[in-house]
């Protein structure tokens, strides 16, 4: 598994074992789950097996911003059907750069309000 924290991948420099592992991962790289592939379905099934039974859907997103935007849309839809409209979040935390996440991020909202 290869990941980058804050868009900065951290791996050994010129380490042959790391280079071979990254090469193997790149050979099976999938950057879009729009098209159903058996390995993605298997991965979703494996993930679901670790979740509580009432959680039965997996959404694959390409970024934290997209994941937060989707989570917010799902929460708002679910909350609206119950008469709830508030959003609870961490002040000064990074929520993403989609319009919906900017709208709820206090540090961004407070800055934009001060410009008006």
């Amino acid at each position: 598994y290869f990941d980058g924290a804050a868009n900065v991948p951290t791996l050994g420099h010129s380490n042959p074992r790391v280079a071979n592992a990254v090469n193997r991962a790149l050979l099976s790289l999938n950057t879009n789950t729009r098209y159903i592939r058996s390995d993605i379905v298997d991965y979703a099934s494996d993930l679901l097996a670790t979740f509580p039974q009432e959680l039965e859907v997996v959404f694959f997103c390409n970024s934290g911003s997209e994941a937060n935007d989707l989570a917010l849309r799902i929460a708002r839809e679910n909350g609206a059907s119950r008469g709830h409209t508030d959003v609870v979040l961490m002040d000064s935390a990074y929520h993403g750069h989609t319009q919906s996440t900017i709208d709820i991020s206090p540090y961004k909202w407070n800055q934009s309000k001060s410009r008006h």
Side-chain angles (χ1 to χ4, degrees):
Y1 180 74
F2 172 72
D3 196 3
N7 298 322
V8 181
T10 310
L11 291 172
H13 296 282
S14 300
N15 182 310
R17 286 180 51 208
V18 172
N20 287 333
V22 169
N23 184 52
R24 283 191 309 276
L26 289 174
L27 291 172
S28 64
L29 182 64
N30 176 35
T31 60
N32 187 330
T33 56
R34 176 178 294 159
Y35 308 106
I36 297 176
R37 294 174 28 162
S38 61
D39 57 341
I40 297 297
V41 174
D42 293 342
Y43 181 53
S45 295
D46 291 346
L47 279 176
L48 286 171
T50 68
F51 294 171
Q53 191 170 9
E54 61 272 12
L55 298 178
E56 56 189 26
V57 176
V58 174
F59 292 99
F60 292 103
C61 300
N62 69 0
S63 69
S65 293
E66 182 181 358
N68 285 340
D69 182 70
L70 178 59
L72 185 58
R73 287 190 289 141
I74 291 169
R76 283 187 166 152
E77 181 67 27
N78 187 44
S81 67
R82 299 173 182 193
H84 302 290
T85 58
D86 292 335
V87 176
V88 178
L89 53 97
M90 298 285 295
D91 193 12
S92 299
Y94 175 77
H95 303 106
H97 285 294
T98 63
Q99 189 61 54
S100 65
T101 58
I102 289 170
D103 288 346
I104 63 164
S105 298
Y107 74 100
K108 293 179 182 179
W109 185 80
N110 291 337
Q111 288 175 4
S112 65
K113 288 294 248 190
S114 65
R115 290 187 211 137
H116 297 311

